[in-house]
Amino acid sequence: LYTSRSIQNEMIDVISSVVEDQIITEVNSAKYFTTLADEVTDCSNLEQVSIVIRFVDGDKHIREDFLGFLTVERITGESLAAALLSWLESHNIDVSLCRGQGYDGASNMSSSISGVQGRIRSVSPMAFYTHCQSHQLNLCIVKACSIPQVRNASGVISEIAKFFNYSPKRQHFFEHIIDAESPNETKKKLKDLCKTRWVQRIDSYTVFYDLYAPIIKTMEAISTCSTEYGEWSWDTETLTKARGFLHQLVSFEFLVTFNVTMRVLSSLP
């Protein structure tokens, strides 16, 4: 009865509506609230705006609840503000009770005249804007990581992840060595570095750190055409890249930079 795709989607929509209505009821009970929003282009090339409401619930707990995505045709301040105001109105949330706004620092969001925050404040003057602190932290890390040594170490990690991820043969050989050298290791695949969120790069660094020994063993085996792990043949490009990676991985500069960067990223919230 419930295996039909259309029935399942209808159930999901019903559940979504119930949860949304409950959150909106709590927001209206709290009276005052803050809007948090960010825009991004999704995998189908549509502009989406995420909507989050921050408020204090009846138990005096600060809540930040996600309420959905809005599809917009343009990402100008006028278009985004109109979409946000229309969404608030359609959900019976009084925008005049908005007491805060949190967005990134892009001009279409942060401008006090033509940006979203300026247009919202023209309707609700007490809705003060705060530059998203996570975005500020990300910008600080990007600036700090422009140091050549950090940039080069990050480049090595990213290229090695691609070296394995883009070749099933290399990945299979890598997993074979992990099983042989670290049989209790559950991680089998390196993660490429997040291109936009530096604070999320700790995941890539942690996996790389845990698999460092097997990575070295793999690069050594490929570079020397070793038969210790079976008969494997490699093309010239693979041999050249493996030898270059091995040289970088054991260098003093890479080891120090990698460990310092990982410790700094792991301490971030």
Side-chain angles (χ1 to χ4, degrees):
L1 178 63
Y2 300 112
T3 58
S4 166
R5 181 175 62 182
S6 58
I7 293 178
Q8 289 179 350
N9 288 339
E10 185 177 348
M11 290 178 65
I12 292 172
D13 289 339
V14 170
I15 293 170
S16 173
S17 296
V18 170
V19 172
E20 184 181 81
D21 290 344
Q22 182 178 344
I23 293 172
I24 290 173
T25 298
E26 292 185 79
V27 170
N28 287 329
S29 296
K31 192 173 182 180
Y32 301 114
F33 64 93
T34 290
T35 58
L36 308 174
D38 192 17
E39 53 86 13
V40 69
T41 303
D42 68 12
C43 59
S44 59
N45 210 31
L46 292 175
E47 296 289 350
Q48 301 271 6
V49 180
S50 60
I51 304 294
V52 175
I53 300 292
R54 179 183 172 96
F55 64 99
V56 179
D57 65 18
D59 296 323
K60 310 304 180 185
H61 296 145
I62 298 175
R63 298 255 300 275
E64 290 185 0
D65 287 3
F66 169 75
L67 285 169
F69 288 105
L70 299 178
T71 300
V72 294
E73 294 183 358
R74 303 175 63 195
I75 56 172
T76 61
E78 180 181 7
S79 177
L80 294 173
L84 181 56
L85 288 170
S86 175
W87 184 91
L88 291 171
E89 182 180 358
S90 67
H91 288 77
N92 297 315
I93 299 176
D94 188 354
V95 69
S96 67
L97 299 175
C98 181
R99 291 296 180 266
Q101 302 179 73
Y103 317 123
D104 62 27
S107 60
N108 63 334
M109 303 297 286
S110 64
S111 172
S112 60
I113 299 174
S114 59
V116 173
Q117 73 109 344
R119 294 177 185 277
I120 296 293
R121 288 197 68 183
S122 67
V123 179
S124 179
M126 297 296 289
F128 294 104
Y129 164 73
T130 301
H131 186 177
C132 172
Q133 306 221 342
S134 293
H135 185 255
Q136 291 189 66
L137 174 61
N138 195 65
L139 293 176
C140 290
I141 298 172
V142 170
K143 186 66 176 179
C145 289
S146 62
I147 300 170
Q149 291 83 351
V150 177
R151 186 175 63 244
N152 293 341
S154 297
V156 170
I157 294 170
S158 179
E159 288 302 314
I160 290 177
K162 294 174 183 175
F163 177 76
F164 290 117
N165 295 342
Y166 290 176
S167 169
K169 180 181 178 181
R170 296 172 191 162
Q171 179 62 31
H172 181 63
F173 184 57
F174 182 43
E175 292 175 4
H176 180 65
I177 291 184
I178 293 174
D179 292 336
E181 298 293 334
S182 306
N184 296 324
E185 180 58 66
T186 57
K187 302 181 185 71
K188 305 289 185 181
K189 191 177 180 69
L190 295 176
K191 293 184 177 182
D192 197 2
L193 299 175
C194 178
K195 294 181 175 59
T196 57
R197 295 291 182 265
W198 277 77
V199 292
Q200 297 299 320
R201 293 195 170 196
I202 184 58
D203 295 336
S204 303
Y205 274 79
T206 301
V207 173
F208 196 92
Y209 178 83
D210 293 338
L211 296 177
Y212 179 79
I215 293 171
I216 294 294
K217 287 286 187 180
T218 303
M219 296 304 178
E220 288 176 340
I222 294 175
S223 299
T224 60
C225 297
S226 172
T227 59
E228 180 181 353
Y229 302 99
E231 295 290 340
W232 295 78
S233 60
W234 304 104
D235 57 60
T236 303
E237 180 185 2
T238 299
L239 291 171
T240 302
K241 285 187 174 182
R243 289 163 184 162
F245 288 143
L246 183 60
H247 174 74
Q248 292 172 309
L249 286 170
V250 298
S251 68
F252 177 79
E253 180 179 293
F254 174 82
L255 292 172
V256 172
T257 304
F258 173 79
N259 280 279
V260 170
T261 305
M262 187 178 72
R263 287 177 180 273
V264 170
L265 291 177
S266 65
S267 66
L268 298 175

